[in-house]
Amino acid sequence: MNALNLKALGNSTAAELLRLRKWSAIWVIVGAWLALSLSFGYVFNYVAYKTGDDNFAGDGAGNAQLLAELMPNAIPDVIVSGLPMFGGALAMVVGALVAGNGFGWGTWKTVFTQGPSRSAAVGGSLAAVSIFIFAMMTATLVLCAGVSVAIAATEGQSITMPALSDLAQSFGAGFLVLEMWALLGFLVGVLAKGPALAVGLGLVWSLVVENLLRGVGSLLAGIETVTEALPGTAGGSLAGAIIGGPNGTPGVLDAISGERALITVAAYVLVAAIAAVVVMRRRDLA
Amino acid sequence: MNELVVETDGLTKRYGDRLAVDRVSMTVMRGEVYGFLGPNGAGKTTTLRMMLGLIRPTAGSASVLGRPAGGPEVTARIGALIEGPGFYPYLSGRDNLRTMARYQGLPATEVDRVLEMVDLADRAKDAFKGYSLGMKQRLGVAAAMLGSPDLLVLDEPTNGLDPAGMADMRALVVSLAEAGQTVILSSHILAEVQEICDRVGVINDGRLLRESTVAELRGGATLRVRATPEDAALAAVMQLAGDEGVRRIGNETLEVDLPVTAAPEVVRHLVAHSIDVHEVTVAERSLEDVFFEMTGNNKELVS
Ligand SMILES: Nc1ncnc2c1ncn2[C@@H]1O[C@H](COP(=O)(O)OP(=O)(O)OP(=O)(O)O)[C@@H](O)[C@H]1O
Ligand SMILES: [Mg+2]
C-alpha cells in the first residue's frame, strides 16, 4: 500500500511538473525574480561603483566595499539578500497560482476523478512547486556566479570563490525561505479557493502588515513576541544570519537568532504543506 | 451479467435548507447504459458527484464497483466528466490529456487513442482556451476515457454540441456500449436517453421517481383502429378486449388495450361482423409523455 502511495505521488508530481513547465505565467515570475536579483545584487551596485570611481577619486574605502560585494566571494550574501522582500512575495504568488487556479478552472475536480488519492494529488502538486523553487534558486546561484566572475574579470580582480560550506548554507537557507513563502501561498490559494484573493491578501500581509507589526512591536512587548513568530521575521532573520546582520536591504533582520529563524521557517514549511493536504482531503469539490 | 456496478442507499445531500438530493437509491448494472434523466436543478450532478467522492453525502451511502465511493482504488477505475470540462487553459488539448494521463501513470499512446475516439486529433496542438464549447466538451469525454475505465460517468456530455456533434457523441456512447462499457449518462434530453439508454432513472426535485428499462417506462404499445360504423366496431372490439379495454378517441378511431400481436385477430373479428376497417396503427407512448405525467414539471425539458 505504501509503495502504491509513493507511486501515485510520483505520478502526480510528474503530471504537475509537466503542466508547470508549460505555464508562461510561472516563467514570467521566474524572469522577474532573476531580473530583480540581478538589478539589486549587481547592476545598481556596479553602476554606483563605476560612477563613484570617476566622481570621488579620493573615496577609496566606500568603493572598495562596493567592489567587494560584487565579487564571487560575496555570492552567499547576494543570493539571500533579495529573498525577504521580493523573493518571498514572488514565491508566494507562484504557490497561490498553482493551488488557487485549480478551483476556477475545475482542474482539481478533473484530477481527483482521474484516480489518484487526494493526498497523492495535492502532495504531487506541493512536490512540483518545491522542485520548481529549487530550480529557481539554482538558476539564481548560476546567474550570480556568472555575473560576479565577469565583473571580477572586467575589473582585473583575482577570482576567489566562497567556501563551499558557506555557499551550501546560503543556498539552503535561501531555498527554505522561498519554499516557506511558496507553500504559504499554496495554502492561502487552497483556503481562498482562487488565486486573486490569495495573491492580494498574501502580498499585503508579507509586505505591509508584517512590517507595520514589527514597527509597533518595537514599542509594545506583547506584540513583539507575536512578530517574532511571523514568517517574515523568520525569513528575514535567517537571511540576516547568513549575511551577518542587517545590511541595509529592507526585510533583512536580526530580530531572532539564526537558529530560531531556521526552526521557525522549517516549521512553517511543514505546517503549510500538511494543512494544505488536510484541507483538500476534507473539502467538498463542486 | 447482472453484477451491480453502482448501488446507492438513501443518498442525500443538503445545502442549507435545500435538499439537493433526497434519499436516492439507484442501481446500475454492468454493461448497461444508464440514463439519469431530470430537468435543470433536479439533482443529477449532485448525485454523480457523491458517486465519485467529489462531495460527501449528508446521509446515505454509495457503493461503486463493490467498494465505498470516493476511494482511490475506485476512482482509478472510473472515468468521469462532471458538469463541464475542467482543464488548464494555457495547455494544448494534447498536453492537458498528457497531464491527466500522467496522474494515472498511463503511457502517451493512451492520449492518442482517446483523441482519435473523440475526433479531436487534428486540433490537439491548439490551446484549450481557444477551443469551441463543443471541442472542450469532447476533450472532457476524452479525458474520462483515459485508461479504459470500468465505469464511464458522463454528466450531460452533449451539452453545447451542435446536432452533428450530438449525433457523434451518441454514436460514440453506443459503440462503447456495444463493446461492453458500462455508462452512466445524465441528460435532460428525453430523445437522447430514449435512443441510447438501456435503463433510466428519473429524478426530479432531488427524488428518484422511478427506475426501469426504457420500454417498461413507456408502458406497452396500444392499437388504434379506425373502423365504421363506429358503434358496431366498439361493441365488436369490446368482445375481445373487455368493456374497459376500448376507448373512443375521436375521428372514428378506437384505442384498444391489446398487444400489437393481437392486430390480425382484431381485424378478422371486425371483418367477420361486416365492419369496414380503414386503418390499424400502433400507438407508442413516448418517454416524454411518461415523464410529463411523472414530474408534472416540464417547462425546462427539451425533446
Ligand atoms: N454547492 C452548492 N451549494 C448550494 N446549492 C447547490 C450546490 N450544488 C447544487 N446545489 C443545488 O442543488 C440542486 C441540484 O443541483 P444539481 O446541480 O445537482 O442539478 P442538475 O440536475 O445537475 O441540474 P442541471 O440539469 O441544471 O445540471 C439545485 O437546486 C442547486 O441549486
Ligand atoms: Mg448538472
Side-chain angles (χ1 to χ4, degrees), chain A residues 170-213:
Chain A
S170 169
F171 184 91
F175 167 72
L176 267 183
V177 173
L178 283 185
E179 173 81 348
M180 171 183 74
W181 284 115
L183 297 201
L184 285 175
F186 193 100
L187 175 61
V188 180
V190 164
L191 294 175
K193 295 192 191 181
L197 188 64
V199 168
L201 285 182
L203 292 189
V204 167
W205 174 265
S206 66
L207 296 182
V208 182
V209 178
E210 280 208 23
N211 281 318
L212 289 176
L213 278 178

mmCIF file of all heavy atoms in Angstrom, chain A residues 170-213:
data_model
loop_
_atom_site.group_PDB
_atom_site.id
_atom_site.type_symbol
_atom_site.label_atom_id
_atom_site.label_comp_id
_atom_site.label_asym_id
_atom_site.label_seq_id
_atom_site.Cartn_x
_atom_site.Cartn_y
_atom_site.Cartn_z
ATOM 1 N N SER A 170 24.111 29.116 2.529
ATOM 2 C CA SER A 170 23.335 30.223 1.996
ATOM 3 C C SER A 170 22.260 29.727 1.033
ATOM 4 O O SER A 170 21.106 30.159 1.074
ATOM 5 C CB SER A 170 24.273 31.192 1.285
ATOM 6 O OG SER A 170 23.537 32.130 0.564
ATOM 7 N N PHE A 171 22.662 28.776 0.167
ATOM 8 C CA PHE A 171 21.708 28.219 -0.793
ATOM 9 C C PHE A 171 20.560 27.531 -0.054
ATOM 10 O O PHE A 171 19.385 27.729 -0.372
ATOM 11 C CB PHE A 171 22.415 27.205 -1.708
ATOM 12 C CG PHE A 171 21.533 26.643 -2.785
ATOM 13 C CD1 PHE A 171 21.457 27.244 -4.026
ATOM 14 C CD2 PHE A 171 20.765 25.511 -2.554
ATOM 15 C CE1 PHE A 171 20.641 26.732 -5.019
ATOM 16 C CE2 PHE A 171 19.941 24.994 -3.534
ATOM 17 C CZ PHE A 171 19.880 25.600 -4.770
ATOM 18 N N GLY A 172 20.905 26.738 0.946
ATOM 19 C CA GLY A 172 19.883 26.017 1.718
ATOM 20 C C GLY A 172 18.923 26.976 2.407
ATOM 21 O O GLY A 172 17.705 26.805 2.367
ATOM 22 N N ALA A 173 19.487 28.029 3.025
ATOM 23 C CA ALA A 173 18.645 28.996 3.724
ATOM 24 C C ALA A 173 17.732 29.711 2.728
ATOM 25 O O ALA A 173 16.540 29.889 2.970
ATOM 26 C CB ALA A 173 19.515 30.005 4.458
ATOM 27 N N GLY A 174 18.320 30.089 1.588
ATOM 28 C CA GLY A 174 17.535 30.781 0.562
ATOM 29 C C GLY A 174 16.401 29.909 0.056
ATOM 30 O O GLY A 174 15.252 30.356 -0.068
ATOM 31 N N PHE A 175 16.720 28.633 -0.213
ATOM 32 C CA PHE A 175 15.682 27.718 -0.683
ATOM 33 C C PHE A 175 14.573 27.607 0.356
ATOM 34 O O PHE A 175 13.389 27.670 0.023
ATOM 35 C CB PHE A 175 16.272 26.337 -0.973
ATOM 36 C CG PHE A 175 15.227 25.275 -1.163
ATOM 37 C CD1 PHE A 175 14.457 25.255 -2.318
ATOM 38 C CD2 PHE A 175 14.977 24.332 -0.178
ATOM 39 C CE1 PHE A 175 13.466 24.302 -2.494
ATOM 40 C CE2 PHE A 175 13.986 23.377 -0.337
ATOM 41 C CZ PHE A 175 13.237 23.359 -1.499
ATOM 42 N N LEU A 176 14.931 27.464 1.614
ATOM 43 C CA LEU A 176 13.919 27.292 2.664
ATOM 44 C C LEU A 176 13.008 28.511 2.777
ATOM 45 O O LEU A 176 11.793 28.376 2.949
ATOM 46 C CB LEU A 176 14.593 27.034 4.009
ATOM 47 C CG LEU A 176 14.804 25.568 4.381
ATOM 48 C CD1 LEU A 176 15.417 25.464 5.762
ATOM 49 C CD2 LEU A 176 13.467 24.813 4.344
ATOM 50 N N VAL A 177 13.591 29.693 2.669
ATOM 51 C CA VAL A 177 12.775 30.906 2.788
ATOM 52 C C VAL A 177 11.780 30.982 1.617
ATOM 53 O O VAL A 177 10.585 31.221 1.803
ATOM 54 C CB VAL A 177 13.656 32.174 2.835
ATOM 55 C CG1 VAL A 177 12.791 33.425 2.779
ATOM 56 C CG2 VAL A 177 14.509 32.186 4.102
ATOM 57 N N LEU A 178 12.275 30.738 0.397
ATOM 58 C CA LEU A 178 11.387 30.760 -0.774
ATOM 59 C C LEU A 178 10.312 29.668 -0.650
ATOM 60 O O LEU A 178 9.139 29.889 -0.949
ATOM 61 C CB LEU A 178 12.176 30.542 -2.060
ATOM 62 C CG LEU A 178 12.986 31.718 -2.605
ATOM 63 C CD1 LEU A 178 13.590 31.347 -3.951
ATOM 64 C CD2 LEU A 178 12.118 32.964 -2.744
ATOM 65 N N GLU A 179 10.750 28.480 -0.217
ATOM 66 C CA GLU A 179 9.838 27.350 -0.061
ATOM 67 C C GLU A 179 8.726 27.693 0.944
ATOM 68 O O GLU A 179 7.551 27.406 0.709
ATOM 69 C CB GLU A 179 10.635 26.120 0.394
ATOM 70 C CG GLU A 179 9.806 24.905 0.751
ATOM 71 C CD GLU A 179 9.365 24.098 -0.460
ATOM 72 O OE1 GLU A 179 9.509 24.590 -1.594
ATOM 73 O OE2 GLU A 179 8.862 22.979 -0.255
ATOM 74 N N MET A 180 9.113 28.330 2.028
ATOM 75 C CA MET A 180 8.122 28.710 3.028
ATOM 76 C C MET A 180 7.054 29.619 2.414
ATOM 77 O O MET A 180 5.853 29.373 2.561
ATOM 78 C CB MET A 180 8.787 29.430 4.195
ATOM 79 C CG MET A 180 7.802 30.053 5.178
ATOM 80 S SD MET A 180 8.605 30.986 6.502
ATOM 81 C CE MET A 180 9.133 32.455 5.630
ATOM 82 N N TRP A 181 7.511 30.637 1.698
ATOM 83 C CA TRP A 181 6.541 31.569 1.121
ATOM 84 C C TRP A 181 5.702 30.897 0.043
ATOM 85 O O TRP A 181 4.498 31.130 -0.073
ATOM 86 C CB TRP A 181 7.241 32.807 0.550
ATOM 87 C CG TRP A 181 7.680 33.745 1.624
ATOM 88 C CD1 TRP A 181 8.966 34.066 1.943
ATOM 89 C CD2 TRP A 181 6.848 34.473 2.540
ATOM 90 N NE1 TRP A 181 8.989 34.947 2.994
ATOM 91 C CE2 TRP A 181 7.702 35.217 3.386
ATOM 92 C CE3 TRP A 181 5.479 34.570 2.748
ATOM 93 C CZ2 TRP A 181 7.229 36.049 4.405
ATOM 94 C CZ3 TRP A 181 4.995 35.397 3.757
ATOM 95 C CH2 TRP A 181 5.867 36.125 4.575
ATOM 96 N N ALA A 182 6.324 30.025 -0.758
ATOM 97 C CA ALA A 182 5.575 29.348 -1.822
ATOM 98 C C ALA A 182 4.487 28.458 -1.226
ATOM 99 O O ALA A 182 3.338 28.466 -1.680
ATOM 100 C CB ALA A 182 6.518 28.517 -2.690
ATOM 101 N N LEU A 183 4.831 27.701 -0.187
ATOM 102 C CA LEU A 183 3.838 26.800 0.397
ATOM 103 C C LEU A 183 2.766 27.563 1.166
ATOM 104 O O LEU A 183 1.603 27.172 1.185
ATOM 105 C CB LEU A 183 4.505 25.749 1.296
ATOM 106 C CG LEU A 183 5.475 24.775 0.610
ATOM 107 C CD1 LEU A 183 5.661 23.529 1.446
ATOM 108 C CD2 LEU A 183 5.032 24.388 -0.789
ATOM 109 N N LEU A 184 3.167 28.685 1.787
ATOM 110 C CA LEU A 184 2.140 29.522 2.426
ATOM 111 C C LEU A 184 1.188 30.057 1.356
ATOM 112 O O LEU A 184 -0.032 30.089 1.557
ATOM 113 C CB LEU A 184 2.777 30.670 3.210
ATOM 114 C CG LEU A 184 3.432 30.266 4.548
ATOM 115 C CD1 LEU A 184 4.147 31.466 5.171
ATOM 116 C CD2 LEU A 184 2.399 29.716 5.525
ATOM 117 N N GLY A 185 1.736 30.460 0.215
ATOM 118 C CA GLY A 185 0.891 30.918 -0.895
ATOM 119 C C GLY A 185 -0.038 29.806 -1.363
ATOM 120 O O GLY A 185 -1.219 30.032 -1.630
ATOM 121 N N PHE A 186 0.495 28.599 -1.445
ATOM 122 C CA PHE A 186 -0.295 27.429 -1.838
ATOM 123 C C PHE A 186 -1.460 27.237 -0.861
ATOM 124 O O PHE A 186 -2.615 27.076 -1.274
ATOM 125 C CB PHE A 186 0.613 26.187 -1.823
ATOM 126 C CG PHE A 186 0.044 24.974 -2.496
ATOM 127 C CD1 PHE A 186 0.426 24.636 -3.781
ATOM 128 C CD2 PHE A 186 -0.868 24.144 -1.849
ATOM 129 C CE1 PHE A 186 -0.081 23.507 -4.412
ATOM 130 C CE2 PHE A 186 -1.385 23.018 -2.470
ATOM 131 C CZ PHE A 186 -0.991 22.702 -3.759
ATOM 132 N N LEU A 187 -1.135 27.307 0.428
ATOM 133 C CA LEU A 187 -2.178 27.110 1.449
ATOM 134 C C LEU A 187 -3.250 28.192 1.348
ATOM 135 O O LEU A 187 -4.449 27.898 1.406
ATOM 136 C CB LEU A 187 -1.542 27.118 2.848
ATOM 137 C CG LEU A 187 -2.535 27.031 4.020
ATOM 138 C CD1 LEU A 187 -3.331 25.730 3.961
ATOM 139 C CD2 LEU A 187 -1.808 27.145 5.359
ATOM 140 N N VAL A 188 -2.821 29.431 1.173
ATOM 141 C CA VAL A 188 -3.807 30.512 1.080
ATOM 142 C C VAL A 188 -4.651 30.341 -0.192
ATOM 143 O O VAL A 188 -5.854 30.578 -0.188
ATOM 144 C CB VAL A 188 -3.122 31.899 1.109
ATOM 145 C CG1 VAL A 188 -4.156 33.006 1.023
ATOM 146 C CG2 VAL A 188 -2.318 32.060 2.391
ATOM 147 N N GLY A 189 -4.021 29.877 -1.273
ATOM 148 C CA GLY A 189 -4.758 29.598 -2.511
ATOM 149 C C GLY A 189 -5.821 28.534 -2.287
ATOM 150 O O GLY A 189 -6.928 28.618 -2.814
ATOM 151 N N VAL A 190 -5.486 27.517 -1.497
ATOM 152 C CA VAL A 190 -6.440 26.447 -1.173
ATOM 153 C C VAL A 190 -7.576 26.999 -0.320
ATOM 154 O O VAL A 190 -8.757 26.741 -0.582
ATOM 155 C CB VAL A 190 -5.720 25.292 -0.436
ATOM 156 C CG1 VAL A 190 -6.711 24.383 0.252
ATOM 157 C CG2 VAL A 190 -4.865 24.499 -1.413
ATOM 158 N N LEU A 191 -7.211 27.793 0.692
ATOM 159 C CA LEU A 191 -8.240 28.316 1.601
ATOM 160 C C LEU A 191 -9.161 29.294 0.884
ATOM 161 O O LEU A 191 -10.366 29.298 1.105
ATOM 162 C CB LEU A 191 -7.588 28.996 2.813
ATOM 163 C CG LEU A 191 -6.811 28.062 3.747
ATOM 164 C CD1 LEU A 191 -6.114 28.854 4.837
ATOM 165 C CD2 LEU A 191 -7.740 27.010 4.358
ATOM 166 N N ALA A 192 -8.583 30.127 0.001
ATOM 167 C CA ALA A 192 -9.383 31.140 -0.688
ATOM 168 C C ALA A 192 -10.079 30.558 -1.916
ATOM 169 O O ALA A 192 -10.919 31.207 -2.520
ATOM 170 C CB ALA A 192 -8.494 32.311 -1.107
ATOM 171 N N LYS A 193 -9.758 29.319 -2.296
ATOM 172 C CA LYS A 193 -10.304 28.656 -3.486
ATOM 173 C C LYS A 193 -10.129 29.495 -4.739
ATOM 174 O O LYS A 193 -10.992 29.514 -5.623
ATOM 175 C CB LYS A 193 -11.800 28.354 -3.315
ATOM 176 C CG LYS A 193 -12.107 27.353 -2.228
ATOM 177 C CD LYS A 193 -13.554 26.931 -2.351
ATOM 178 C CE LYS A 193 -14.003 26.138 -1.147
ATOM 179 N NZ LYS A 193 -15.385 25.705 -1.273
ATOM 180 N N GLY A 194 -9.042 30.229 -4.810
ATOM 181 C CA GLY A 194 -8.783 31.027 -6.010
ATOM 182 C C GLY A 194 -7.496 31.797 -5.825
ATOM 183 O O GLY A 194 -7.061 32.010 -4.691
ATOM 184 N N PRO A 195 -6.875 32.222 -6.940
ATOM 185 C CA PRO A 195 -5.578 32.880 -6.829
ATOM 186 C C PRO A 195 -5.661 34.363 -6.491
ATOM 187 O O PRO A 195 -4.772 34.892 -5.831
ATOM 188 C CB PRO A 195 -4.971 32.684 -8.217
ATOM 189 C CG PRO A 195 -6.144 32.560 -9.119
ATOM 190 C CD PRO A 195 -7.271 31.973 -8.317
ATOM 191 N N ALA A 196 -6.717 35.044 -6.916
ATOM 192 C CA ALA A 196 -6.729 36.507 -6.829
ATOM 193 C C ALA A 196 -6.713 36.980 -5.376
ATOM 194 O O ALA A 196 -5.837 37.744 -4.958
ATOM 195 C CB ALA A 196 -7.952 37.059 -7.556
ATOM 196 N N LEU A 197 -7.676 36.495 -4.611
ATOM 197 C CA LEU A 197 -7.758 36.880 -3.206
ATOM 198 C C LEU A 197 -6.492 36.447 -2.474
ATOM 199 O O LEU A 197 -5.937 37.180 -1.655
ATOM 200 C CB LEU A 197 -8.997 36.222 -2.580
ATOM 201 C CG LEU A 197 -9.350 36.669 -1.172
ATOM 202 C CD1 LEU A 197 -9.720 38.138 -1.169
ATOM 203 C CD2 LEU A 197 -10.494 35.820 -0.623
ATOM 204 N N ALA A 198 -6.026 35.237 -2.811
ATOM 205 C CA ALA A 198 -4.844 34.694 -2.140
ATOM 206 C C ALA A 198 -3.625 35.566 -2.410
ATOM 207 O O ALA A 198 -2.878 35.905 -1.495
ATOM 208 C CB ALA A 198 -4.595 33.264 -2.620
ATOM 209 N N VAL A 199 -3.423 35.931 -3.666
ATOM 210 C CA VAL A 199 -2.261 36.751 -4.008
ATOM 211 C C VAL A 199 -2.370 38.112 -3.328
ATOM 212 O O VAL A 199 -1.422 38.593 -2.698
ATOM 213 C CB VAL A 199 -2.145 36.923 -5.539
ATOM 214 C CG1 VAL A 199 -1.138 38.006 -5.881
ATOM 215 C CG2 VAL A 199 -1.736 35.606 -6.184
ATOM 216 N N GLY A 200 -3.549 38.700 -3.410
ATOM 217 C CA GLY A 200 -3.748 40.033 -2.838
ATOM 218 C C GLY A 200 -3.502 40.049 -1.340
ATOM 219 O O GLY A 200 -2.665 40.803 -0.832
ATOM 220 N N LEU A 201 -4.214 39.169 -0.642
ATOM 221 C CA LEU A 201 -4.070 39.133 0.815
ATOM 222 C C LEU A 201 -2.647 38.748 1.214
ATOM 223 O O LEU A 201 -2.071 39.334 2.133
ATOM 224 C CB LEU A 201 -5.051 38.122 1.420
ATOM 225 C CG LEU A 201 -6.510 38.553 1.471
ATOM 226 C CD1 LEU A 201 -7.352 37.478 2.140
ATOM 227 C CD2 LEU A 201 -6.648 39.873 2.221
ATOM 228 N N GLY A 202 -2.081 37.801 0.495
ATOM 229 C CA GLY A 202 -0.744 37.321 0.819
ATOM 230 C C GLY A 202 0.287 38.431 0.706
ATOM 231 O O GLY A 202 1.145 38.589 1.576
ATOM 232 N N LEU A 203 0.198 39.205 -0.342
ATOM 233 C CA LEU A 203 1.180 40.268 -0.541
ATOM 234 C C LEU A 203 1.005 41.381 0.477
ATOM 235 O O LEU A 203 1.981 41.892 1.025
ATOM 236 C CB LEU A 203 1.076 40.834 -1.961
ATOM 237 C CG LEU A 203 1.496 39.855 -3.055
ATOM 238 C CD1 LEU A 203 1.580 40.560 -4.397
ATOM 239 C CD2 LEU A 203 2.826 39.206 -2.728
ATOM 240 N N VAL A 204 -0.254 41.742 0.727
ATOM 241 C CA VAL A 204 -0.492 42.782 1.726
ATOM 242 C C VAL A 204 0.078 42.326 3.065
ATOM 243 O O VAL A 204 0.727 43.086 3.781
ATOM 244 C CB VAL A 204 -2.005 43.084 1.852
ATOM 245 C CG1 VAL A 204 -2.275 43.911 3.091
ATOM 246 C CG2 VAL A 204 -2.494 43.816 0.609
ATOM 247 N N TRP A 205 -0.116 41.052 3.365
ATOM 248 C CA TRP A 205 0.394 40.522 4.622
ATOM 249 C C TRP A 205 1.923 40.582 4.666
ATOM 250 O O TRP A 205 2.511 41.176 5.556
ATOM 251 C CB TRP A 205 -0.078 39.078 4.818
ATOM 252 C CG TRP A 205 0.549 38.450 6.016
ATOM 253 C CD1 TRP A 205 1.663 37.678 6.052
ATOM 254 C CD2 TRP A 205 0.140 38.632 7.371
ATOM 255 N NE1 TRP A 205 1.969 37.339 7.337
ATOM 256 C CE2 TRP A 205 1.047 37.910 8.177
ATOM 257 C CE3 TRP A 205 -0.898 39.326 7.983
ATOM 258 C CZ2 TRP A 205 0.946 37.860 9.557
ATOM 259 C CZ3 TRP A 205 -1.001 39.275 9.361
ATOM 260 C CH2 TRP A 205 -0.099 38.551 10.134
ATOM 261 N N SER A 206 2.558 39.974 3.661
ATOM 262 C CA SER A 206 4.008 39.813 3.766
ATOM 263 C C SER A 206 4.741 41.133 3.577
ATOM 264 O O SER A 206 5.797 41.341 4.163
ATOM 265 C CB SER A 206 4.501 38.775 2.753
ATOM 266 O OG SER A 206 4.320 39.246 1.439
ATOM 267 N N LEU A 207 4.194 42.037 2.777
ATOM 268 C CA LEU A 207 4.921 43.274 2.502
ATOM 269 C C LEU A 207 4.517 44.418 3.426
ATOM 270 O O LEU A 207 5.317 45.294 3.717
ATOM 271 C CB LEU A 207 4.704 43.708 1.042
ATOM 272 C CG LEU A 207 5.245 42.744 -0.009
ATOM 273 C CD1 LEU A 207 5.011 43.288 -1.399
ATOM 274 C CD2 LEU A 207 6.721 42.476 0.209
ATOM 275 N N VAL A 208 3.266 44.435 3.862
ATOM 276 C CA VAL A 208 2.788 45.593 4.612
ATOM 277 C C VAL A 208 2.553 45.269 6.085
ATOM 278 O O VAL A 208 3.189 45.825 6.977
ATOM 279 C CB VAL A 208 1.490 46.148 3.988
ATOM 280 C CG1 VAL A 208 1.036 47.379 4.759
ATOM 281 C CG2 VAL A 208 1.689 46.460 2.516
ATOM 282 N N VAL A 209 1.631 44.324 6.322
ATOM 283 C CA VAL A 209 1.184 44.098 7.692
ATOM 284 C C VAL A 209 2.342 43.706 8.610
ATOM 285 O O VAL A 209 2.499 44.252 9.700
ATOM 286 C CB VAL A 209 0.074 43.024 7.733
ATOM 287 C CG1 VAL A 209 -0.352 42.760 9.167
ATOM 288 C CG2 VAL A 209 -1.111 43.482 6.903
ATOM 289 N N GLU A 210 3.171 42.780 8.122
ATOM 290 C CA GLU A 210 4.274 42.334 8.979
ATOM 291 C C GLU A 210 5.220 43.475 9.326
ATOM 292 O O GLU A 210 5.684 43.586 10.460
ATOM 293 C CB GLU A 210 5.044 41.192 8.301
ATOM 294 C CG GLU A 210 4.343 39.872 8.465
ATOM 295 C CD GLU A 210 5.318 38.700 8.431
ATOM 296 O OE1 GLU A 210 6.511 38.917 8.712
ATOM 297 O OE2 GLU A 210 4.865 37.588 8.144
ATOM 298 N N ASN A 211 5.495 44.319 8.348
ATOM 299 C CA ASN A 211 6.389 45.447 8.615
ATOM 300 C C ASN A 211 5.781 46.408 9.620
ATOM 301 O O ASN A 211 6.464 46.902 10.518
ATOM 302 C CB ASN A 211 6.732 46.176 7.316
ATOM 303 C CG ASN A 211 7.799 45.429 6.542
ATOM 304 O OD1 ASN A 211 8.753 44.934 7.132
ATOM 305 N ND2 ASN A 211 7.638 45.342 5.239
ATOM 306 N N LEU A 212 4.468 46.653 9.465
ATOM 307 C CA LEU A 212 3.790 47.542 10.406
ATOM 308 C C LEU A 212 3.832 46.955 11.803
ATOM 309 O O LEU A 212 4.131 47.637 12.785
ATOM 310 C CB LEU A 212 2.334 47.756 9.979
ATOM 311 C CG LEU A 212 2.139 48.604 8.718
ATOM 312 C CD1 LEU A 212 0.673 48.670 8.331
ATOM 313 C CD2 LEU A 212 2.690 50.008 8.955
ATOM 314 N N LEU A 213 3.542 45.641 11.880
ATOM 315 C CA LEU A 213 3.533 44.987 13.188
ATOM 316 C C LEU A 213 4.905 45.066 13.842
ATOM 317 O O LEU A 213 5.018 45.301 15.039
ATOM 318 C CB LEU A 213 3.116 43.519 13.051
ATOM 319 C CG LEU A 213 1.611 43.256 12.964
ATOM 320 C CD1 LEU A 213 1.342 41.769 12.770
ATOM 321 C CD2 LEU A 213 0.900 43.771 14.212
#
